[in-house]
């Protein structure tokens, strides 16, 4: 078979030798890469795994690409071998040799048979390339195949191990929860543990069979395996387990200090009862000693809190810590609220007595002041003092009338002491009368 002149200029011997050296280096690099891909742990795992979903679809296409890669590489190797053999015929290649080498090295002289899976699927008997084009095609197929292999391997290297560690922590938490009575159907934390167990089991199965479904590509990255594993579901369940652990810790704390907390609860409720009893006694005193005053009614101690306290004590005896924990927290808040309510009730009930005590103190203070100025025997002052004192020390005491009597005594005292006026209730005292 004769050799026709190539479309372009014929290469000289130096150009041929440089091209063969470059193609030989590329051949060695491609062979090294293909062998590394063949031995990659991710590829072996993909071949042996029962894949599902997007991974199964993409791996089927990638397997065909890898098969085609080797077909391209074999054709490339054969073409390079032929070129080397032609060049080795003579030390100084003839024009016919150079024409043939130019066609082989620069023309579409490499034919890939249609037996390759991708070509067969496309219905082609064969496909021809130049060596340069063939290298570009191999690089493209290699990059896409390596990307899938590296991505799957990255997910398998990261997620299953983390899921296993979380599952081990989950088992320890379930064992601890069971020891304090936190079980499914009896406590929300027990239900959460069951749900987390199911989710982690399903997550691990999905990650193993369809790793590419758990990959987030990096934006703008063209490097093989550019991106990160999608840990959204894992992170959510890890947070949920942490919440359950805190709940179990709270239950354990209850088990350790339940008796002390119950004692404190009884003490707070007892103080609230005593305060309410004091308020009821004070109310009777106010009704007897203060006239024309509305005194709030004092309610009795809430029996519901005592019943809940008894229930809490029963939970402790039966070691039902998971039920005792929320009940104690609720009771502690309610007990503090009850003590505050009792104190507010006592303050409201005794307010009239406080007003009377303030009026008595003011009356005695002004009497001492006029006595210091030698007016203790003044008839008007004594008459108004006695009137106010009778009202304040008699029962029942009308506070409004008594306050007016105290103000009349203050006014008379101020006039006798030379003050033009006395301060009204809530105003500052006249400095002249204080200093006189």
């Amino acid at each position: 078979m004769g050799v026709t002149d190539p479309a372009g200029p014929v290469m000289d011997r130096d150009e041929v030798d440089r091209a063969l050296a470059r193609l030989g280096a590329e051949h060695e690099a491609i062979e090294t890469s293909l062998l590394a891909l063949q031995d990659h742990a991710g590829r072996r795992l993909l071949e042996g795994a029962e894949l599902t979903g997007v991974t199964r679809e993409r791996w089927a296409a990638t397997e065909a690409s890898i098969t085609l890669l080797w077909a391209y590489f074999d054709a490339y190797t054969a073409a390079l071998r032929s070129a080397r053999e032609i060049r080795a015929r003579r030390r100084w290649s003839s024009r016919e040799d150079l024409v043939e080498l130019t066609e082989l090295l620069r023309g579409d002289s490499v034919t890939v048979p249609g037996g390759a899976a991708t070509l067969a699927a496309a219905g082609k008997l064969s496909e021809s390339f130049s060596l340069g084009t063939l290298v570009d095609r191999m690089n493209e197929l290699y990059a896409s195949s390596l990307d899938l292999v590296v991505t799957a391997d990255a997910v398998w290297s990261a997620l299953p191990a983390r899921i296993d560690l979380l599952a081990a922590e989950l088992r320890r938490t379930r064992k601890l929860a069971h020891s304090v009575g936190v079980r499914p159907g009896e406590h929300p934390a027990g239900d959460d543990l069951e749900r987390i167990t199911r989710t982690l089991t399903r997550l691990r199965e999905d990650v193993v069979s369809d790793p590419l479904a758990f990959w987030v590509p990096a934006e703008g990255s063209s490097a093989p395996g550019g991106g990160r594993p999608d840990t959204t579901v894992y992170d959510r369940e890890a947070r949920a387990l942490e919440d359950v652990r805190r709940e179990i810790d709270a239950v354990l704390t209850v088990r350790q200090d339940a008796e002390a907390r119950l004692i404190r609860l009884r003490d707070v409720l007892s103080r609230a009862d005593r305060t309410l009893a004091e308020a009821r006694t004070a109310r009777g005193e106010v009704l007897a000693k203060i006239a024309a005053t509305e005194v709030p009614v004092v309610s009795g101690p809430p029996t519901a809190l005592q019943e809940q306290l008894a229930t809490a004590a029963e939970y402790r005896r039966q070691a039902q810590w998971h039920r005792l924990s929320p009940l104690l927290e609720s009771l502690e808040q309610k007990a503090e609220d009850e003590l505050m309510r009792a104190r507010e009730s006592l303050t409201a009930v005794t307010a009239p007595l406080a007003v009377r005590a303030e009026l008595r103190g003011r009356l005695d203070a002004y009497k001492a002041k006029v006595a210091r100025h030698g007016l203790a025997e003044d008839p008007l002052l004594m008459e108004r003092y006695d009137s106010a004192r009778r009202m304040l020390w008699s029962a029942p005491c009308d506070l409004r009338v008594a306050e007016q009597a105290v103000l009349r005594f203050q006014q008379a005292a101020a006039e006798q002491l030379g003050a033009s006026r006395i301060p009204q209730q809530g105003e500052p005292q006249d400095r002249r009368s204080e200093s006189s």
Side-chain angles (χ1 to χ4, degrees):
M1 182 167 148
V3 178
T4 60
D5 286 341
V10 177
M11 301 170 69
D12 59 26
R13 285 186 296 273
D14 290 339
E15 288 177 325
V16 168
D17 289 341
R18 285 195 298 271
L20 287 174
R22 176 178 54 80
L23 291 171
E26 288 180 344
H27 177 275
E28 184 177 349
I30 292 171
E31 183 178 32
T32 300
S33 298
L34 287 176
L35 291 175
L37 178 61
Q38 195 72 13
D39 292 336
H40 197 288
R43 188 199 63 80
R44 293 198 299 270
L45 288 172
L46 284 164
E47 284 187 340
E50 295 183 4
L51 302 176
T52 61
V54 63
T55 305
R56 179 172 61 186
E57 296 174 5
R58 289 187 57 187
W59 174 239
T62 300
E63 278 190 306
S65 296
I66 293 174
T67 300
L68 183 58
L69 254 176
W70 282 104
Y72 283 163
F73 181 73
D74 290 342
Y76 181 87
T77 301
L80 182 59
R81 185 187 307 114
S82 297
R84 284 171 172 170
E85 290 174 352
I86 295 172
R87 179 65 185 88
R89 289 175 187 171
R90 302 174 184 87
R91 181 179 180 184
W92 303 101
S93 298
S94 65
R95 175 172 174 76
E96 289 76 11
D97 290 343
L98 292 176
V99 169
E100 188 175 358
L101 284 169
T102 300
E103 175 65 24
L104 187 58
L105 295 177
R106 288 183 174 176
D108 294 338
S109 58
V110 184
T111 300
V112 179
T118 303
L119 298 179
K124 297 180 180 179
L125 296 177
S126 64
E127 193 171 7
S128 298
F129 303 95
S130 67
L131 286 174
T133 303
L134 192 58
V135 169
D136 293 337
R137 290 292 299 273
M138 285 192 289
N139 285 335
E140 292 174 3
L141 289 174
Y142 174 78
S144 62
S145 301
L146 181 64
D147 179 71
L148 182 140
V149 169
V150 170
T151 296
D153 187 55
V155 174
W156 280 332
S157 298
L159 273 179
R162 295 174 68 180
I163 293 171
D164 290 343
L165 289 174
L166 189 61
E169 180 62 26
L170 174 62
R171 288 191 293 272
R172 288 191 293 269
T173 303
R174 290 183 65 179
K175 184 177 180 180
L176 186 60
H178 191 272
S179 71
V180 294
V182 175
R183 298 179 177 87
E186 298 180 6
H187 192 280
D191 297 333
D192 289 340
L193 288 174
E194 286 297 303
R195 183 193 59 76
I196 295 171
T197 300
R198 291 193 300 270
T199 302
L200 286 183
T201 301
R202 184 171 60 254
L203 177 63
R204 195 183 193 288
E205 293 172 353
D206 292 343
V207 167
V208 169
S209 66
D210 192 8
L212 298 186
F214 295 89
W215 185 253
V216 180
E219 294 184 7
S221 174
S222 59
R228 60 175 179 81
D230 183 358
T231 61
T232 303
V233 177
Y234 169 86
D235 293 338
R236 184 190 67 208
E237 298 309 314
R239 290 192 297 269
L241 181 57
E242 181 61 28
D243 292 340
V244 172
R245 276 200 298 263
R246 284 196 291 268
E247 180 71 21
I248 301 304
D249 289 342
V251 174
L252 285 171
T253 301
V254 168
R255 183 170 68 178
Q256 293 168 0
D257 59 11
E259 182 59 27
R261 291 174 69 179
L262 285 171
I263 290 174
R264 285 197 299 271
L265 266 174
R266 294 189 184 99
D267 178 64
V268 172
L269 290 177
S270 178
R271 280 187 287 157
D273 289 347
R274 290 196 300 271
T275 303
L276 286 176
E278 184 180 351
R280 285 191 292 273
T281 301
R283 185 173 188 275
E285 181 182 352
V286 170
L287 290 175
K289 295 181 178 180
I290 306 298
T293 299
E294 293 185 2
V295 184
V297 176
V298 180
S299 63
T303 57
L305 288 183
Q306 295 296 337
E307 292 173 355
Q308 291 177 16
L309 184 60
T311 301
E314 184 63 24
Y315 283 160
R316 180 184 176 277
R317 282 192 294 271
Q318 296 178 1
Q320 296 184 4
W321 311 113
H322 63 291
R323 293 179 177 173
L324 179 59
S325 177
L327 181 57
L328 275 180
E329 291 181 6
S330 173
L331 269 175
E332 285 167 342
Q333 183 59 53
K334 290 178 181 178
E336 290 295 335
D337 293 343
E338 178 61 19
L339 180 58
M340 181 66 68
R341 184 183 70 84
R343 288 170 175 169
E344 291 173 350
S345 182
L346 177 60
T347 299
V349 165
T350 57
L353 295 178
V355 172
R356 187 184 68 172
E358 190 274 332
L359 290 174
R360 286 177 174 181
R362 200 194 315 171
L363 181 66
D364 289 342
Y366 266 87
K367 181 185 178 185
K369 179 184 290 188
V370 298
R372 287 198 304 272
H373 290 80
L375 299 174
E377 301 300 328
D378 183 89
L380 176 62
L381 292 178
M382 289 304 97
E383 185 254 331
R384 291 193 176 181
Y385 171 78
D386 291 338
S387 174
R389 191 178 190 285
R390 280 195 304 273
M391 293 180 184
L392 286 173
W393 267 267
S394 62
C397 170
D398 190 324
L399 290 177
R400 287 185 291 272
V401 175
E403 183 178 14
Q404 292 302 315
V406 171
L407 288 174
R408 285 195 299 271
F409 174 66
Q410 288 180 246
Q411 181 67 44
E415 291 173 356
Q416 291 294 335
L417 295 171
S420 60
R421 63 180 294 275
I422 66 167
Q424 296 300 313
Q425 188 175 10
E427 294 181 355
Q429 300 292 327
D430 191 302
R431 294 190 180 275
R432 288 187 303 163
S433 62
E434 289 291 340
S435 62
S436 58

